[in-house]
Amino acid sequence: MKRNLLLGIALLLSVYLFADEPVKAIYRKIVNPANKEVTVVAHRADWRYAPENSIAAIESSIRLGADVVELDIQKTKDGKLILMHDNTLDRTTTGKGKISEWTLDSIRTLYLKNGASLRTKHRVPTLEEALLTAKGQVMVNLDKAYPIFDEIFPILEKTGTVDQVIMKGSKPVAQVKKDLGKYLDRILYMPIVNLDSPGALQQIEDFMKEIRPVAFELLFKSDTNQVPKQVKSLLEGKSKIWYNTLWDTMAGGHDDDMSLEDPDKGYGYLIDELGATIIQTDRTAYLLEYLQARKKRSGKSKKI
């Protein structure tokens, strides 16, 4: 009996020690500039399977094999943090009005809508619930979180997910150090830089000098812009490059729609010509399948 008890304790201990291994592997991949495997970010989680920013969408992203889920944060009237992109309830829930005018208890009575604007069985999750769902499984990019990060960080500590969080913003490096300086050694911060703007290269160089980010999120409207190719050379072996394929003006037209017609011209261009090793998409399963076929990811494809 004693032997069985000891074996049981050992088994539980091994489960505890290795429960967070999936996210540790993802973290190591993201922070290693020499790793060329492409990291996949599910925009608002897998909203083609379940309502955007829902627990079910996060769970689906994990099953598919996404590395990161991008989630949006809003604050209720009573100061609670929930997942939702808009500052109103109208588009994604059965409610109406500003989130800031509803308490959490009231929002709990609502149902989320799917991509076709139809009511589902799913409810609006809190940030804490979302983090606990993602814990140990997938990295989390928190959007709309920069202004309220002082309120968010205690929830990260409570849920034990500090190391899983990616923060981003478009402010200059001096402002970032002022606003988030006390967190920069605890979280991953990735600057957003518009490559169509004058001084974009200088902005990147300033960040590299001051905080050397793990990655930069880059934006440009047309592939006639030559700056993205310069940035590829500038960041080679130093920081990763993140592009968004959500719509055409974010990555010079090389978006999800182009990729549906010809993934080599869409995703492939960003990877091969511009050095992208992180891509945020609205078509998680499709991008994962493409990367697997091109051997840009290790392991086997996952299916739902």
Side-chain angles (χ1 to χ4, degrees), residues 11-12 22 42 88 102 104 126 131 165 167 235 304:
L11 178 60
L12 288 173
T88 60
W102 284 61
L104 177 61
T126 63
L131 291 171
V165 168
M167 281 288 293
L235 297 180
I304 291 182

Side-chain angles (χ1 to χ4, degrees), residues 22 26 42 45-46 55-69 130-140 164 284 288 297 302-304:
I26 296 168
D46 185 21
I55 295 298
I58 297 171
E59 292 172 337
S60 178
S61 299
I62 294 168
R63 289 195 298 270
L64 283 173
D67 302 295
V68 184
V69 288
L131 291 171
L132 289 173
T133 301
K135 186 174 181 177
Q137 301 298 318
V138 67
M139 297 289 288
V140 179
Q164 289 183 231
T284 306
L288 285 166
R297 288 178 65 83
K302 297 182 181 181
K303 302 290 184 182
I304 291 182

Side-chain angles (χ1 to χ4, degrees), residues 132-153:
L132 289 173
T133 301
K135 186 174 181 177
Q137 301 298 318
V138 67
M139 297 289 288
V140 179
N141 171 210
L142 296 179
D143 199 11
K144 304 181 184 301
Y146 191 108
I148 55 172
F149 197 67
D150 284 337
E151 299 172 60
I152 290 172
F153 194 76

Side-chain angles (χ1 to χ4, degrees), residues 40 46 48 64-66 245 255-268 271 279 281-294 297 301-303:
V40 173
D46 185 21
R48 292 186 183 279
L64 283 173
T245 56
D255 60 353
D256 286 333
D257 285 348
M258 177 184 282
S259 298
L260 285 174
E261 296 179 359
D262 188 338
D264 288 329
K265 289 184 178 179
Y267 304 137
I271 296 166
I279 295 177
T281 179
D282 279 324
R283 294 190 175 275
T284 306
Y286 184 70
L287 174 56
L288 285 166
E289 183 179 357
Y290 171 73
L291 295 173
Q292 192 69 38
R294 285 201 53 191
R297 288 178 65 83
S301 300
K302 297 182 181 181
K303 302 290 184 182

Side-chain angles (χ1 to χ4, degrees), residues 89-262:
L89 298 162
D90 305 50
R91 181 179 66 86
T92 57
T93 80
T94 52
K96 293 187 180 297
K98 294 181 179 180
I99 296 169
S100 60
E101 296 175 354
W102 284 61
T103 64
L104 177 61
D105 285 347
S106 298
I107 290 175
R108 291 287 204 187
T109 67
L110 305 176
Y111 291 91
L112 287 168
K113 295 178 183 177
N114 62 21
S117 198
L118 299 174
R119 167 180 165 164
T120 71
K121 66 179 182 179
H122 303 287
R123 306 279 190 168
V124 178
T126 63
L127 172 60
E128 182 173 339
E129 290 166 344
L131 291 171
L132 289 173
T133 301
K135 186 174 181 177
Q137 301 298 318
V138 67
M139 297 289 288
V140 179
N141 171 210
L142 296 179
D143 199 11
K144 304 181 184 301
Y146 191 108
I148 55 172
F149 197 67
D150 284 337
E151 299 172 60
I152 290 172
F153 194 76
I155 301 176
L156 304 184
E157 290 187 308
K158 178 183 178 182
T159 55
T161 55
V162 172
D163 292 339
Q164 289 183 231
V165 168
I166 297 170
M167 281 288 293
K168 293 185 297 182
S170 54
K171 295 182 182 294
V173 65
Q175 190 64 48
V176 172
K177 289 173 72 175
K178 180 180 178 181
D179 295 339
L180 300 179
K182 61 185 176 181
Y183 305 117
L184 292 178
D185 63 342
R186 302 282 309 276
I187 61 169
L188 298 181
Y189 182 82
M190 302 181 184
I192 302 172
V193 180
N194 186 339
L195 299 183
D196 293 325
S197 299
L201 288 175
Q202 184 61 55
Q203 187 178 355
I204 291 172
E205 289 175 356
D206 290 344
F207 270 102
M208 290 300 293
K209 179 181 178 181
E210 295 292 330
I211 62 175
R212 198 181 180 96
V214 166
F216 287 83
E217 178 182 319
L218 304 175
L219 307 170
F220 68 105
K221 290 183 179 179
S222 170
D223 58 14
T224 58
N225 186 340
Q226 296 302 302
V227 176
K229 293 183 179 180
Q230 294 176 256
V231 173
K232 176 186 177 183
S233 298
L234 179 65
L235 297 180
E236 180 70 28
K238 300 174 183 176
S239 291
K240 296 204 170 210
I241 292 174
W242 170 317
Y243 279 113
N244 301 308
T245 56
L246 315 178
W247 53 85
D248 60 349
T249 56
M250 301 189 85
H254 300 271
D255 60 353
D256 286 333
D257 285 348
M258 177 184 282
S259 298
L260 285 174
E261 296 179 359
D262 188 338

Side-chain angles (χ1 to χ4, degrees), residues 10-30:
L11 178 60
L12 288 173
L13 182 60
S14 66
V15 169
Y16 173 78
L17 289 174
F18 293 99
D20 59 351
E21 278 306 299
V23 82
K24 284 185 177 181
I26 296 168
Y27 182 92
R28 287 194 295 268
K29 175 173 64 174
I30 291 174

